[in-house]
Amino acid sequence: MRLGVLGGGQLARMLAMAALPLGIRTTALDPSPDACAGAVAELILAPYDDPEGLDRLGQVSDVVTSEFESVPAESADRLAGLAAVRPNARALAVAQDRLHEKRLFTELGIDTPRFEAIASQEDVDRMQPPGVLKTRRLGYDGKGQLVVREESQLEGAFEQLGKAPLIWEELVPFERELSVVAARGVDGSTVAYPLVENHHRDGILRLTHAPAPGLGAEMQALAEAYALRLLTELDYVGVLALELFQLGNRLMANEMAPRVHNSGHWTIEGTETSQFENHVRAVCGLPLGSTAQRMTCTMVNLIGGAPDVADLAAIEGAHIHLYGKAPRRGRKIGHVTVTSGEGGWRAVAELAEQAADG
Ligand code: AMP
């Protein structure tokens, strides 16, 4: 079995690392010669919409997956002529557009913030703050968004967000942000990981606690039910992440990611089968592995700059993952999963903070 990945970043790198012991070789397509998956996978250097590059990837792969959702539809179609594309093109298309995504949530009875499609400044002017304006496509890590707290902010907002199709959402006074990672195999079997609690700053994930502290079994069941509905409806194969807002005993779906997810990195040490291995297993048609949690974990992202590896290694229970990427402001260059409790993760978080964007 040969795995192809669109994108050669850290997600592709960790997928390739999970595939190798299963006897599966990975090829990643990426426009950058520095793509960090290149350390563990063959790299095809080409833009994501380059017909020649795509054909080469399709020819050397039995199955092709992606590390990002914004796969051009034509690229997915072209690859589908040469290899199995998993997850499928519809799942990718839905996840690329916040409006389609939220309509699907609603159709499937998945609680989500109230929303409206916005196509012009006149549409913007009709909205009642507070709310959030987001570009429908190509927004990530808080980019392409505007929190609107008062009416004066509506003025010129359409232009400010690039005159692109937008979505307006109610501003949810959530208590915390959670996410669930789930997977579906070729045979339709499904598994889900424990719900985790996520902390963002400047729109970027900083910290994940696994499992989410103080969570009842009914919240886990609800999140799994939501994920399962999406997986089934989309005839999905692979790992899917669903980001949620918790408000009392409500879970509101914010967005889904049709891929392995940063809030699931802790599963490498923290569970019987990591999200990366389960994604590889799923897309390659293998049985899925147990998602049982082995120990409580906190994952700390390294953003913009990495602490001295010796300082991290001196902290008991710190499992270090450096991606081999050059430091740059706001860039995820590694993560550390800490299995030694609060003292350990606070020490790592402090080092990460000192090194961040330095
Ligand atoms: P997103 O790009 O949709 O994941 O949004 C980035 C972050 O903005 C989320 O992690 C939330 O912290 C916040 N956010 C997004 N949508 C809403 C909303 N409707 N209400 C309140 N906060 C939101």
Side-chain angles (χ1 to χ4, degrees):
M1 187 55 88
R2 300 162 309 163
L3 176 67
V5 186
L6 273 175
Q10 66 266 22
L11 300 182
R13 176 175 161 119
M14 290 186 273
L15 284 170
M17 287 166 73
L20 201 56
L22 299 174
I24 296 166
R25 301 296 301 253
T26 303
T27 306
L29 180 147
D30 197 285
S32 167
D34 301 327
C36 70
V40 287
E42 293 290 326
L43 263 193
I44 294 174
L45 272 179
Y48 302 121
D49 56 358
D50 176 55
E52 234 175 85
L54 291 165
D55 286 351
R56 266 172 56 215
L57 183 66
Q59 281 154 8
V60 300
S61 310
D62 299 300
V63 54
V64 176
T65 191
S66 172
E67 65 160 7
F68 56 86
E69 43 265 59
S70 54
V71 178
E74 306 78 51
S75 299
D77 286 347
R78 193 166 187 105
L79 285 166
L82 296 162
V85 175
R86 296 174 178 153
N88 60 46
R90 179 176 168 223
L92 296 173
V94 169
Q96 275 174 25
D97 187 319
R98 292 182 189 275
L99 183 64
H100 293 163
E101 195 173 80
K102 291 230 155 51
R103 283 186 176 150
L104 181 64
F105 293 157
T106 308
E107 269 169 41
L108 296 177
I110 297 171
D111 201 356
T112 191
R114 283 191 309 276
F115 64 94
E116 300 260 1
I118 302 284
S120 64
Q121 181 62 42
E122 289 69 49
D123 288 346
V124 173
D125 291 338
R126 277 195 289 275
M127 297 301 114
Q128 296 276 319
V132 189
L133 273 174
K134 302 179 180 178
T135 53
R136 278 171 55 180
R137 301 171 70 86
L138 297 178
Y140 68 96
D141 285 349
K143 294 189 178 75
Q145 299 200 12
L146 184 66
V147 176
V148 179
R149 297 191 187 274
E150 44 197 85
E151 252 171 61
S152 63
Q153 289 175 276
L154 292 174
E155 203 178 312
F158 192 67
E159 184 156 354
Q160 202 178 321
L161 287 167
K163 295 186 177 178
L166 304 175
I167 185 170
W168 170 271
E169 295 175 15
E170 66 171 307
L171 188 67
V172 179
F174 57 77
E175 285 143 31
R176 56 179 174 167
E177 295 189 68
L178 307 175
S179 61
V180 64
V181 171
R184 184 168 177 273
V186 170
D187 62 358
S189 60
T190 56
V191 292
Y193 290 93
L195 266 171
V196 298
E197 177 182 310
N198 300 319
H199 294 262
H200 300 85
R201 209 178 62 233
D202 303 329
I204 302 176
L205 182 68
R206 303 282 158 163
L207 206 86
T208 295
H209 294 300
L215 203 75
E218 63 294 349
M219 291 288 100
Q220 178 71 29
L222 184 59
E224 285 187 25
Y226 286 171
L228 187 65
R229 276 178 226 170
L230 287 165
L231 291 170
T232 310
E233 167 63 26
L234 294 168
D235 191 20
Y236 194 94
V237 175
V239 159
L240 172 132
L242 184 61
E243 295 181 22
L244 301 154
F245 299 140
Q246 185 183 12
L247 193 61
N249 56 11
R250 274 175 87 180
L251 292 179
M252 301 169 92
N254 174 37
E255 64 178 346
M256 66 182 215
R259 53 173 169 80
V260 288
H261 194 256
N262 195 170
S263 71
H265 290 2
W266 67 278
T267 61
I268 295 174
E269 288 83 12
T271 63
E272 290 292 326
T273 317
S274 77
Q275 64 163 351
F276 301 100
E277 180 170 344
N278 261 335
H279 187 73
V280 173
R281 287 185 182 218
V283 301
C284 292
L286 299 170
L288 300 179
S290 163
T291 55
Q293 186 158 358
R294 289 170 164 159
M295 72 281 264
T296 300
C297 299
T298 295
M299 190 270 329
V300 180
N301 264 343
L302 304 178
I303 301 189
D308 187 348
V309 70
D311 292 340
L312 289 171
I315 297 170
E316 194 195 318
H319 301 269
I320 305 161
H321 299 259
L322 297 176
Y323 305 148
K325 290 164 70 174
R328 195 193 303 149
R329 195 172 175 74
R331 194 180 206 201
K332 292 173 181 171
I333 58 171
H335 76 267
V336 182
T337 296
V338 188
T339 55
S340 54
E342 184 165 351
W345 72 254
R346 285 202 185 278
V348 170
E350 198 172 311
L351 288 176
E353 201 61 40
Q354 286 163 6
D357 296 323

